[in-house]
Amino acid sequence: MTDEPTLKKNFLTEEIEADFASGRYTGKILTRFPPEPNGYLHIGHAKAICIDFGLAQQYGGGTNLRMDDTNPSKEEQEYIDAIQDDIRWLGYEWKNLLYASDYFQQLYDWAIELIKAGLAYVDDQTADEMRANRGTLTEPGKNSPFRDRSVEENLDLFTRMKNGEFDEGSRVLRAKIDMASPNIVMRDPTMYRIMKAHHPRTGDKWCIYPMYDYAHGQSDWLEGITHSLCSLEFKNNRQLYEWFIDRIAEVSGFPEGVKHKTRQIEFARGNISYMITSKRKLLKLITDGIVEGWNDPRMPTIRGMRRRGFTPGSIKRFWDEAGVAKRENLLEYAKLESFLRDELNKIAQRRMAVLDPIKLVITNYPEGQVEVMDVPNNPENPDDGKRQVPFSGELYIEREDFMEDAPKKFFRLSVGKEVRLRCGYWVTCTDVVKDEEGNIIQLNCTYDPQTRGGNNPPPDAEGKQRKVKGTLHWVSAEHAVDAEVRLYEHLFTKPKAEEGELMDNINADSLKIVNAKVEPSLVDAKPGDPIQFERLGYFTPDITTSDEKIVFNRTVTLKDSWAKMQGK
RNA sequence: UGGCCUGUAGUUCAAUUGGCGGAACGCCUGAUUCUGGUUCAGGAGGUUGAAGGUUCAAGUCCUUCCAGGCCAGCCA
């Protein structure tokens, strides 16, 4: 987790290296991550974070974290704080924490210069009129009747817009470019709209707020960003991004201390099967009560995944291995799970927990006896040592580890069969106890005292070694602790979860809550601690866990080739 | 019937820039194992979207076609 994954070669690294080789840039690479503080970061943002921070790190540069706070009607301080927390959790640190709103005055001053140069005008058309006159994908637009106002009138109107003299929606400032451009982004784009909203940072100072297109490029430029890496849908906007900077450079020159223009390069965002990242849809899951909130362990948010038990390392490695390109994609959730398991396998403490308990009674075990068994905390890492687990004549094992009419391939318990209880004893099932309805309520077994600790018994007189195929996990009934365990599945039934009507694809079984019996040492586990319940999967205590009620989240199951065989 | 972008194993990406198409994940075998996990060894899987062309040689260059994506917010 401490060593950063080395990023693979891709078209971004190629371009970046070319930019330094050609002398376009000297010095250090500087990127930026520009989240809009109107929601929580999700797995898709994590890709951008890995690229923006990871690439800069790889080339010895830095990354500015810039809150894209140009729309106060949707943005809140709560998100500004959460975003920083999530980025740090992922393991990245920014060079500077900045806000687009830091540049509101500069942006305004430049707008004045653009107006003076005849490159911007105040438009009195309604939003509907503007839309009608914008033309369509195949037809050019029409010039606004207000397009040729005098500089003086534009200056007067724009100043009054700023002073709050006009109603919201009554006027906008537009760049004067080309209403017939085949790139619709260039058809006199809006630079400022009137918005009388309270801004978390600038308060009530401004009645006008800049649009993304007018704010983003210049923010990059002012900060001396070398590479502004963003997703594909901004490809069309790049022409405008460059237009603003070029025009401002002509009209006002470069800002103090700024030597170069920023290069925007677009890459494809990453989609993952069974997950969605649309903020609107995610919010609907919450408002419709499908999930608990932004940090529900089933949510693809950083907070949700963190609560679920994901590690930052696995998320970073996933995006690193996924690569970067320019095509639409749908990564398999299995790939994410693979890197998750890989890391968890190395660090997770092993414990025993029985999710669906059935009582196992050892009929020949001395009544009332309790033994303490040494069990390794992590066989993958002997340095983690061993712990002591109480063993007795009354245990719980997993209901599905017993079968009455077992097929030959069933390596677990069945009447007449012998199995190993992990680090306990070898037991043979003699008979079962059923209730009136015929349900099995207890398994009676005998144990072999020569197998203490789960070890092989000595060979028989002919030197033959007795063997068992199966090893089961267990907890001592008397010592077991009750715990609630939350078992998660995909939130959606279709891999392309984003497709079609959201509510048609909801997996009704995405959360299953069971009452488990767990070994006593688990009472000390803390939220975030990676724990493997042996033979079941990786779990971590939920943030709601308490002394009164222990709660675990299942992060991911172990691979299960038995279940796979059954499925066939 | 506009502009721009993208098509390479099931999936995501590579292919030294024109020189024998690979990896990861997934899938299938086998070995090992006190977790049906891990680990190890091996295997299957490709008309490089299609058709033409240039070339000794094309995934890579050219032409045409097909499919998919983005853009018509006073969102980002």
Side-chain angles (χ1 to χ4, degrees):
Chain A
M1 276 218 294
T2 46
D3 50 321
E4 291 304 319
T6 21
L7 283 133
K8 295 199 292 191
K9 260 189 69 177
N10 57 50
F11 79 101
L12 293 176
T13 61
E14 216 166 280
E15 295 297 334
I16 289 167
E17 285 172 24
D19 287 340
F20 284 100
S22 71
R24 171 172 183 152
Y25 297 121
T26 52
K28 293 270 164 65
I29 183 176
L30 183 62
T31 62
R32 102 273 91 108
F33 176 64
E36 186 190 8
N38 70 344
Y40 292 95
L41 261 23
H42 54 62
I43 185 72
H45 292 113
K47 175 175 181 174
I49 290 169
C50 289
I51 289 170
D52 291 334
F53 285 87
L55 237 34
Q57 199 168 305
Q58 182 182 352
Y59 291 107
T63 304
N64 285 347
L65 171 58
R66 183 170 67 233
M67 300 296 168
D68 212 341
D69 57 351
T70 57
N71 189 345
S73 67
K74 307 200 300 189
E75 295 149 7
E76 293 171 26
Q77 184 64 38
E78 178 194 355
Y79 299 124
I80 293 177
D81 300 334
I83 286 166
Q84 296 177 62
D85 186 51
D86 287 343
I87 294 172
R88 287 208 170 102
W89 179 76
L90 280 170
Y92 293 111
E93 189 60 48
W94 44 91
K95 187 172 179 214
N96 301 297
L97 172 61
L98 300 160
Y99 298 82
S101 54
D102 294 341
Y103 313 122
F104 280 177
Q105 186 60 49
Q106 174 67 267
L107 257 12
Y108 177 79
D109 294 343
W110 276 334
I112 298 289
E113 295 307 311
L114 290 171
I115 291 172
K116 286 182 182 163
L119 293 167
Y121 64 98
V122 173
D123 195 342
D124 299 0
Q125 291 183 106
T126 64
D128 285 344
E129 287 167 337
M130 274 181 64
R131 187 180 319 113
N133 287 333
R134 187 149 30 228
T136 68
L137 296 176
T138 50
E139 302 157 37
K142 294 191 195 71
N143 285 353
S144 164
F146 304 97
R147 199 174 197 258
D148 294 314
R149 288 217 245 238
S150 68
V151 168
E152 291 67 33
E153 190 181 3
N154 279 319
L155 247 20
D156 174 59
L157 255 16
F158 186 52
T159 308
R160 289 163 63 191
M161 276 170 66
K162 186 199 75 166
N163 292 340
E165 292 183 32
F166 304 123
D167 290 338
E168 287 190 10
S170 61
R171 285 178 172 82
V172 293
L173 183 72
R174 291 231 255 173
K176 192 188 283 188
I177 306 180
D178 178 10
M179 288 306 292
S181 173
N183 182 357
I184 294 177
V185 170
M186 300 300 279
R187 319 243 260 230
D188 288 11
T190 302
M191 295 166 62
Y192 276 94
R193 74 285 217 190
I194 298 169
M195 204 178 266
K196 293 175 179 172
H198 184 83
H199 188 284
R201 296 196 49 89
T202 59
D204 298 315
K205 180 177 179 197
W206 296 91
C207 295
I208 54 171
Y209 289 92
M211 300 288 289
Y212 165 86
D213 283 310
Y214 184 62
H216 191 80
Q218 286 85 282
S219 301
D220 285 345
W221 191 33
L222 281 162
E223 291 173 21
I225 301 295
T226 57
H227 299 272
S228 186
L229 311 172
C230 62
S231 48
L232 245 32
E233 67 262 35
F234 293 103
K235 178 69 204 291
N236 294 324
N237 300 249
R238 191 168 80 214
Q239 197 182 348
L240 180 56
Y241 179 109
E242 288 169 352
W243 188 90
F244 278 128
I245 291 174
D246 287 340
R247 295 297 86 72
I248 291 169
E250 285 164 11
V251 171
S252 304
F254 273 49
E256 191 70 23
V258 173
K259 302 267 189 299
H260 59 250
K261 293 176 190 168
T262 306
R263 161 120 95 125
Q264 172 175 305
I265 310 177
E266 309 84 11
F267 60 87
R269 57 193 330 157
N271 306 300
I272 302 174
S273 62
Y274 300 102
M275 286 181 137
I276 62 169
T277 50
S278 151
K279 262 177 209 166
R280 203 195 90 246
K281 291 182 176 176
L282 253 16
L283 185 63
K284 187 164 170 55
L285 293 178
I286 296 170
T287 53
D288 285 17
I290 306 291
V291 297
E292 212 178 86
W294 289 103
N295 65 347
D296 187 294
R298 289 165 292 179
M299 289 286 268
T301 52
I302 302 298
R303 294 173 112 62
M305 294 174 75
R306 178 177 177 177
R307 182 172 170 192
R308 169 96 167 239
F310 277 76
T311 60
S314 63
I315 293 173
K316 287 198 282 190
R317 175 135 175 256
F318 170 75
W319 284 124
D320 179 38
E321 301 276 343
V324 189
K326 296 209 267 189
R327 27 183 134 131
E328 288 300 308
N329 58 73
L330 186 67
L331 284 129
E332 286 171 341
Y333 188 84
K335 193 172 186 125
L336 220 200
E337 284 185 318
S338 164
F339 295 126
L340 220 206
R341 289 193 186 107
D342 187 59
E343 184 174 359
L344 257 13
N345 177 49
K346 292 175 194 141
I347 62 172
Q349 297 287 296
R350 295 324 101 133
R351 293 293 183 270
M352 289 197 281
V354 178
L355 302 186
D356 184 12
I358 184 167
K359 188 162 278 184
L360 183 154
V361 174
I362 304 175
T363 51
N364 61 339
Y365 194 77
E367 180 132 11
Q369 176 173 299
V370 174
E371 291 181 77
V372 173
M373 301 299 185
D374 283 332
V375 184
N377 285 323
N378 184 358
E380 301 294 315
N381 182 17
D383 290 345
D384 282 341
K386 297 186 171 189
R387 70 187 182 287
Q388 299 193 312
V389 181
F391 183 92
S392 68
E394 282 197 23
L395 310 170
Y396 290 113
I397 67 162
E398 212 67 60
R399 187 173 299 273
E400 67 166 24
D401 281 340
F402 178 85
M403 209 181 251
E404 270 195 295
D405 303 303
K408 321 119 242 87
K409 291 275 201 173
F410 187 76
F411 301 151
R412 283 110 102 145
L413 201 57
S414 158
V415 175
K417 276 186 66 180
E418 185 172 39
V419 296
R420 181 199 334 267
L421 295 178
R422 166 125 246 238
C423 297
Y425 283 101
W426 290 23
V427 295
T428 304
C429 183
T430 53
D431 61 287
V432 304
V433 180
K434 296 184 182 180
D435 63 13
E436 301 88 49
E437 286 154 23
N439 303 309
I440 299 173
I441 52 169
Q442 182 176 313
L443 308 170
N444 290 331
C445 296
T446 58
Y447 83 116
D448 179 352
Q450 295 197 98
T451 58
R452 190 177 194 282
N455 291 313
N456 292 352
D460 64 14
E462 284 136 39
K464 268 186 75 181
Q465 179 63 60
R466 202 162 96 240
K467 287 188 173 167
V468 283
K469 280 291 255 183
T471 298
L472 310 185
H473 59 276
W474 51 272
V475 292
S476 167
E478 177 195 344
H479 306 91
V481 175
D482 289 306
E484 174 177 309
V485 179
R486 300 175 180 173
L487 307 174
Y488 301 107
E489 302 278 346
H490 294 136
L491 249 180
F492 299 96
T493 51
K494 293 201 314 190
K496 289 185 181 177
E498 209 84 61
E499 215 175 53
E501 271 305 303
L502 182 74
M503 289 304 154
D504 294 346
N505 304 334
I506 300 290
N507 175 12
D509 302 318
S510 62
L511 168 62
K512 201 173 131 197
I513 296 178
V514 298
N515 295 309
K517 297 285 187 185
V518 307
E519 67 168 78
S521 66
L522 248 10
V523 300
D524 297 326
K526 303 276 183 300
D529 286 352
I531 293 163
Q532 183 195 100
F533 289 172
E534 295 221 29
R535 305 209 302 133
L536 296 174
Y538 296 97
F539 296 75
T540 198
D542 186 65
I543 52 177
T544 62
T545 202
S546 68
D547 292 341
E548 291 74 47
K549 184 178 173 192
I550 300 176
V551 182
F552 283 96
N553 292 319
R554 181 170 70 195
T555 309
V556 61
T557 61
L558 248 29
K559 279 210 275 187
D560 189 347
S561 54
W562 170 244
K564 192 179 283 181
M565 275 171 69
Q566 301 260 282
K568 281 196 287 196

